[in-house]
Amino acid sequence: MSKPSLRFWLAGTLLAVPLAAPAQEPATEQVLGVFLDCNTFYCDFDHFRREIAFVNWVRDRQDADVHVLVTQQQTGGGGWELTLAFIGLDDFAGRDDTLRYVSDRDDTTDEIRSGLTGTLKLGLIPYIAGTPAADHLVILYQPPAEQAQAAATQADDPWNFWVFELRARGSLQGESQQRFFSGSASAEASRTTDDLKISIEASWFGNRQEFDLVDTLAGLDTTIISTRNSYELEGLSVWSLDPHWSAGVQASASRSTVVNQDLALRGGPAIEYNIFPYSESTRRQLTLRYSVGVAVFDYNEVTIFDKTSEVRPTHNLRVGLSVTQPWGNVFTSLNAFQYLNDLSKHSVSLFGSVNFRVFRGLSLNMFGSVARIKDQLFLSRVGLTPEEILLRQRQRETDFRYDISIGLSYRFGSRFNNVVNPRMGGGGGVIIMM
């Protein structure tokens, strides 16, 4: 459901309004128990609890009558499509429903939050109808204005689906003997329709660090300066062939002091197959993507292979799995890259993250990545200085890379989670690092 149509539907359909009990008072156990499963930026749980006081918000799925799973993905226009899956449990088992709220790119956080709240209210109505809380609700009807109806049906788009975005960011930190600056900027143009997606993006990232080294006894008074800069221009065109197949062309140009590349050009065609229909992408995806192309490199310094520039054919295979279900979520990808004119120059990387509900109150969180690296063509024959190594100015030679973390969380106590009390719980403050 698009955002404009949802706005008018909410205005002219069911709006549940509590007639009794302030929002802060926990509801009785006869009222519908709802478990909210949402990790998106726009899920303001405190706001939901204040605005939707006719249900019991519970902390664990096992105590719920309805499990609400919220996922999101960005739209071609720069907004967000938020999908709400209502999953019936216990007496409501088998009663499932899905609603969608789509925001405009110019909507404020409060506007998106309000639209999401209205959609959540609307989705809970069929479940509330079979509980005692239904006797304390009223239904309001507000006919949409004719002008608004006409605006909602207009299809004229002077931009022809093109969306442009400019971003810039900078940060500055300092102490008496050290200073840090980092900045980034990007510009993006994109056009997204059901049949074709086009994206063009240019970006820059820079970092500068200064360290004053002063030792009067040793006669040392100097400043070490570390700088890193990278530039990139990327382009992508993807055609939708059917509910499972996609084909595209991708190209990029980049420059980086970290990897000894004055210029790197890459490009070529790609094809992707999703075992699940793309219409289910917010809940599950299993994709296989294969691409071939050409890579052109111009190096700042002579490499360990005695190259100042080179051209190499490449191919790449990527398998990706993304699943968001009531028991948790999983994301993993396997990426294999190889230079076709020298098969010994290759890399294989595996990434994965899991958030799994083991049983009531206990959740397992795992994140990890591991890579075999045999394709560092850019390594400089000159080598690295100790300062470049310690300050991570340049990429070092390595055969592998890994990153692993694991955690458990266990929550117990009251099953209800209705009360909102923000006193002395947040706001601004000063953090002093010792």
Side-chain angles (χ1 to χ4, degrees), residues 5 24 47 59 62 65 142 170 211 224-225 253 377 424 426:
S5 61
Q24 294 293 324
H47 182 75
R59 292 191 306 104
Q62 281 78 5
D65 300 304
Q142 296 177 346
F211 303 89
I224 296 178
I225 299 176
L377 304 178
M424 299 185 70

Side-chain angles (χ1 to χ4, degrees), residues 14 37 73 76 79 85 101 109 122 137 163 173 197 240 264 272 277 292 298 313 328 336 358 375 388 406 423:
L14 299 176
D37 188 0
Q73 60 183 354
Y101 173 74
T109 299
L122 194 64
L137 301 177
V163 176
Q173 302 176 47
K197 179 172 72 174
S240 302
E272 182 178 85
V292 295
D298 184 26
V358 182
D375 61 348
E388 289 175 329
I406 185 170
R423 295 172 177 81

Side-chain angles (χ1 to χ4, degrees), residues 400-413:
F400 62 88
R401 185 181 297 119
Y402 64 89
D403 185 5
I404 300 173
S405 67
I406 185 170
L408 287 170
S409 63
Y410 182 62
R411 301 178 66 186
F412 57 93

Side-chain angles (χ1 to χ4, degrees), residues 177-180 208-214 222-226 390-391:
Q177 299 187 73
Q178 55 190 27
R179 294 158 296 281
F180 308 93
R208 180 183 174 93
Q209 304 177 69
E210 298 180 1
F211 303 89
D212 297 334
L213 301 182
V214 180
T222 187
T223 299
I224 296 178
I225 299 176
S226 169
L390 293 175
L391 297 175

Side-chain angles (χ1 to χ4, degrees), residues 159-371:
W159 293 97
N160 193 26
F161 296 103
W162 280 99
V163 176
F164 303 89
E165 185 172 358
L166 302 175
R167 296 180 293 268
R169 183 176 181 178
S171 66
L172 179 65
Q173 302 176 47
E175 298 179 9
S176 59
Q177 299 187 73
Q178 55 190 27
R179 294 158 296 281
F180 308 93
F181 167 79
S182 65
S184 62
S186 65
E188 181 179 4
S190 62
R191 184 180 187 272
T192 303
T193 66
D194 289 334
D195 298 324
L196 174 64
K197 179 172 72 174
I198 302 174
S199 175
I200 304 170
E201 182 175 7
S203 61
W204 162 80
F205 172 79
N207 177 283
R208 180 183 174 93
Q209 304 177 69
E210 298 180 1
F211 303 89
D212 297 334
L213 301 182
V214 180
D215 188 337
T216 55
L217 295 179
L220 178 65
D221 187 356
T222 187
T223 299
I224 296 178
I225 299 176
S226 169
T227 59
R228 290 186 295 173
N229 285 283
S230 62
Y231 308 84
E232 187 164 17
L233 175 64
E234 298 178 288
L236 173 68
S237 295
V238 180
W239 290 266
S240 302
L241 304 180
D242 65 22
H244 297 273
W245 285 98
S246 302
V249 177
Q250 51 194 356
S252 68
S254 62
R255 179 180 182 181
S256 174
T257 59
V258 177
V259 293
N260 186 31
Q261 291 174 350
D262 188 49
L263 179 63
L265 302 174
R266 300 178 178 88
I271 192 166
E272 182 178 85
Y273 178 75
N274 190 354
I275 292 179
F276 304 108
Y278 283 101
S279 58
E280 302 177 11
S281 60
T282 60
R283 295 289 298 275
R284 56 181 184 173
Q285 292 189 70
L286 178 54
T287 58
L288 295 90
R289 182 193 308 165
Y290 179 73
S291 62
V292 295
V294 176
V296 180
F297 301 112
D298 184 26
Y299 301 109
N300 289 310
E301 299 174 353
V302 179
T303 69
I304 57 176
F305 301 103
D306 293 321
K307 300 286 187 180
T308 57
S309 63
E310 57 184 321
V311 178
R312 288 180 177 258
T314 67
H315 70 156
N316 186 85
L317 175 65
R318 182 186 183 277
V319 181
L321 173 66
S322 176
V323 178
T324 302
Q325 296 295 326
W327 46 260
N329 57 73
V330 173
F331 175 79
T332 184
S333 65
L334 175 66
N335 192 76
F337 173 85
Q338 193 174 45
Y339 289 104
L340 289 172
N341 64 333
D342 186 350
L343 301 184
S344 66
K345 301 298 186 292
H346 64 274
S347 64
V348 180
S349 61
L350 176 65
F351 168 87
S353 66
V354 178
N355 186 353
F356 181 70
R357 296 187 182 93
V358 182
F359 55 79
R360 178 190 295 270
L362 180 65
S363 295
L364 173 66
N365 302 281
M366 295 185 295
F367 165 86
S369 65
V370 61

